[in-house]
């Protein structure tokens, strides 16, 4: 299943919540060197109760808006 997400890096808290048509993800990690993407994968895996290798970023690796696939 594919989901559209919007990421906020350098947040004071880590959370996942659903807006009308998008999943919003806040991570504490900075958006440098892929650290925020790694944190997003880890947080979404926990949120959907799946292993981390079942979550992958399909598009938007360098932007705030991403498409992720949960296998």
């Amino acid at each position: 299943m594919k989901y559209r997400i919007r990421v906020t890096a350098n947040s004071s808290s880590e959370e996942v919540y659903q807006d009308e048509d998008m999943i919003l993800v806040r991570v504490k990690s900075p958006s440098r060197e892929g650290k925020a993407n790694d944190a997003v994968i880890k947080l979404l895996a926990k949120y959907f109760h799946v292993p981390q290798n079942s979550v992958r970023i399909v598009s938007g690796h360098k932007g705030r808006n991403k498409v992720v696939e949960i296998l």
Side-chain angles (χ1 to χ4, degrees):
M1 170 105 16
K2 291 184 182 178
Y3 298 95
R4 292 180 344 135
I5 67 168
R6 174 170 287 157
V7 177
T8 303
N10 290 327
S11 178
S12 60
S13 63
E14 292 195 337
E15 60 183 333
V16 178
Y17 56 97
Q18 185 126 11
D19 198 11
E20 294 172 10
D21 62 340
M22 187 175 284
I23 295 175
L24 304 172
V25 180
R26 292 183 180 192
V27 294
K28 292 181 179 181
S29 301
S31 59
R32 294 186 187 101
E33 301 169 1
K35 291 181 181 179
N37 287 341
D38 293 341
V40 166
I41 289 171
K42 187 175 183 178
L43 200 57
L44 286 175
K46 186 176 179 181
Y47 180 77
F48 285 107
H49 305 289
V50 296
Q52 288 182 29
N53 62 0
S54 294
V55 179
R56 73 180 182 108
I57 298 173
V58 177
S59 67
H61 293 281
K62 293 187 176 188
R64 291 183 61 192
N65 297 320
K66 303 179 186 303
V67 175
V68 295
E69 183 176 35
I70 310 296
L71 303 174

